[in-house]
Amino acid sequence: MKLLYIDPQSAYNLAQYDYSLLSNVDAEITYCCSVRYDAKEIANANYKYVFSYVKYKWRVLKAFSYALSILKVIAIVRKTCPDVIHIQWWRLWLVDYMALCFYKKYCGCVVFTVHNVMPHDSGTHYKKKCFAYYNRVDKLIVHVNQTKEQLVNDFFLPAEKIFVVPHGLLNNNVDDSEVNKYVAELENKWNVKNKIVFSFLGYQSYYKGTDILKVALEKSELLQNNPHVLFIIAGKGDIITPEMVHGYDNVLVINNFIPSEQLEAIMRVTDVQLLPYRAISQSGVLLSTIDKEIPYVSTDVGGLSEPVNIAPIGWLISPDSIDELLSLLELLSLHPEEIQCKKNNHDGWEAVRKYYDWKEIGRKTMDCYRTVFLECKRSVKAVL
């Protein structure tokens, strides 16, 4: 089977996702990826570094570059005549929708992965666009059953069109010597080995619940300036800034883009990962967290609860509940043995790893490819 795999955002965690998936797919792969792809090379894959919009700061230049990249992908489709096209993300709806119509004409078998039902913080005006796109592709891949149910109920899509394939664990491709430097810096300045370290990672946003953590810290006298606890908030945004926490001596805010090595270092010193999301299908931070066997606190939304339902490796709280998060953080700060109990649940971690195994994910993805290919062939024969 000839597969054309398209991912305009293939850098950092997303590049690692593509590498792990495609390494377990049995197909002749042409891979249209970003110029910033930084994972290992996939054996026997034909790389096409077509997406370079990330190099530009101005939106108009980004848009122009992206449109040119899509034209290159269209040329690749005409040249390679793939059996199946798998698209990971769309960036500019009109450009991507027009390209999708072309793919359908020259290939006919198109799979799209719905990482999030609608773009984060996009509002309801995107629903019509998503509806049109989802109806145009042949099959959809989602990572959790809740997303499938949402697509069936809110977008009136047939259940048989949607394949549930878990998002595998992520292990960043990093320079260990650089990671160790960041770890040493954290230890020298913050004495992390002798503290309970809670981390909140990634771009600050309303949908991620950054403001929920902020209010919880403001309300708790026990957590404020507690010498036994350190909060690391790492990621760009203006919800929590260094200026806002200048009166706290146990909160580290890194308010900029976090390089992979620094992110890895923060994870290595973290005792509990914080994910108080309001809405999400699945989280790359969570899957990196599980890979490192770090207990986590999350809201019961999307796929965040799946690992805890498999084994007790974390704690679930209700969405939008400041008081629940506050109470749990205070409990864990007073009883670190609760955290250690989660860390020592080796059978539980093994069970979760088995569920997110990339070989099984590759097999399920191939089932989707074979199904859509056979259905497309039958429809062509029916027309003839």
Side-chain angles (χ1 to χ4, degrees):
M1 176 182 291
K2 292 197 295 183
L3 170 68
L4 180 66
Y5 187 95
I6 305 169
D7 187 354
Q9 299 183 183
S10 47
Y12 309 113
N13 270 354
L14 302 182
Q16 188 60 44
Y17 170 91
D18 291 348
Y19 168 79
S20 300
L21 174 60
L22 294 176
S23 296
N24 291 282
V25 163
D26 183 19
E28 181 184 329
I29 302 166
T30 299
Y31 178 28
C32 294
C33 61
S34 169
V35 294
R36 291 190 177 173
Y37 176 87
D38 57 349
K40 296 177 184 177
E41 289 214 351
I42 302 157
N44 302 319
N46 181 14
Y47 279 74
K48 303 291 185 181
Y49 298 93
V50 296
F51 293 101
S52 57
Y53 66 92
V54 291
K55 297 191 299 184
Y56 302 99
K57 291 184 178 180
W58 292 356
R59 287 187 178 182
V60 65
L61 292 180
K62 282 181 177 288
F64 183 71
S65 174
Y66 184 77
L68 285 180
S69 297
I70 291 297
L71 289 175
K72 292 177 184 178
V73 174
I74 288 173
I76 292 167
V77 171
R78 297 194 66 172
K79 183 177 180 180
T80 60
C81 297
D83 297 315
V84 175
I85 295 175
H86 186 174
I87 305 167
Q88 280 295 335
W89 303 89
W90 53 266
R91 297 286 303 171
L92 293 176
W93 184 83
L94 182 59
V95 172
D96 284 303
Y97 187 78
M98 291 174 66
L100 174 59
C101 295
F102 180 90
Y103 303 152
K104 290 285 295 172
K105 180 179 180 180
Y106 284 90
C107 173
C109 304
V110 181
V111 176
F112 180 73
T113 296
V114 182
H115 292 280
N116 300 290
V117 173
M118 291 195 295
H120 297 313
D121 298 329
S122 60
T124 56
H125 69 284
Y126 260 90
K127 188 170 183 177
K128 288 184 179 179
K129 295 179 179 179
C130 293
F131 182 85
Y133 199 92
Y134 297 160
N135 274 278
R136 188 68 172 151
V137 299
D138 298 285
K139 296 293 180 186
L140 296 167
I141 288 176
V142 299
H143 296 312
V144 295
N145 282 307
Q146 283 177 287
T147 306
K148 179 175 181 175
E149 292 170 5
Q150 188 177 354
L151 289 170
V152 171
N153 295 331
D154 296 351
F155 290 82
F156 311 107
L157 297 173
E160 59 271 18
K161 182 173 183 167
I162 307 166
F163 281 67
V164 180
V165 181
H167 188 312
L169 303 184
L170 297 173
N171 188 351
N172 291 331
N173 181 29
V174 293
D175 181 344
D176 272 331
S177 63
E178 286 298 311
V179 173
N180 291 335
K181 289 179 184 177
Y182 281 117
V183 170
E185 182 180 312
L186 287 167
E187 176 59 29
N188 292 335
K189 189 171 183 180
W190 296 94
N191 191 24
V192 290
K193 288 181 181 178
N194 295 309
K195 294 183 179 181
I196 303 168
V197 179
F198 296 99
S199 291
F200 182 100
L201 304 178
Y203 191 87
Q204 297 182 30
S205 172
Y206 178 81
Y207 85 86
K208 287 186 176 181
T210 313
D211 58 308
I212 295 173
L213 175 59
K214 177 177 180 286
V215 175
L217 289 175
E218 290 172 344
K219 291 179 69 173
S220 175
E221 293 183 6
L222 176 63
L223 297 175
Q224 293 170 12
N225 299 315
N226 187 326
H228 305 295
V229 173
L230 173 66
F231 288 90
I232 301 178
I233 300 159
K236 291 179 71 174
D238 57 6
I239 299 174
I240 303 177
T241 65
E243 293 75 21
M244 293 177 186
V245 298
H246 71 275
Y248 299 33
D249 59 15
N250 66 336
V251 180
L252 168 60
V253 178
I254 307 172
N255 195 222
N256 51 36
F257 173 77
I258 312 298
S260 296
E261 281 74 16
Q262 188 176 21
L263 183 66
E264 179 75 13
I266 294 170
M267 284 197 160
R268 289 186 187 180
V269 304
T270 294
D271 294 297
V272 179
Q273 195 71 252
L274 304 178
L275 302 159
Y277 286 54
R278 286 185 169 90
I280 194 72
S281 293
Q282 189 51 279
S283 163
V285 172
L286 172 62
L287 295 161
S288 296
T289 296
I290 295 171
D291 184 68
K292 294 167 180 60
E293 300 188 0
I294 302 169
Y296 71 99
V297 174
S298 82
T299 44
D300 187 5
V301 297
L304 300 186
S305 62
E306 271 192 344
V308 175
N309 292 332
I310 297 168
I313 59 169
W315 303 265
L316 295 179
I317 60 174
S318 303
D320 256 324
S321 180
I322 295 169
D323 290 337
E324 282 187 40
L325 177 61
L326 172 57
S327 297
L328 182 55
L329 292 177
E330 290 184 339
L331 172 69
L332 297 178
S333 68
L334 292 171
H335 298 281
E337 68 273 11
E338 295 287 334
I339 301 171
Q340 198 59 45
C341 181
K342 302 291 187 189
K343 289 183 177 182
N344 292 339
N345 184 5
H346 303 300
D347 290 342
W349 289 108
E350 186 58 33
V352 173
R353 283 185 176 279
K354 186 175 181 181
Y355 179 78
Y356 292 105
D357 178 65
W358 278 109
K359 287 185 179 179
E360 181 65 11
I361 290 167
R363 184 192 65 77
K364 290 180 178 180
T365 304
M366 282 302 303
D367 286 346
C368 177
Y369 294 162
R370 292 189 185 100
T371 300
V372 71
F373 181 61
L374 290 174
E375 287 181 0
C376 288
K377 285 183 70 176
R378 282 197 292 268
S379 64
V380 170
K381 286 182 180 179
V383 171
L384 296 176

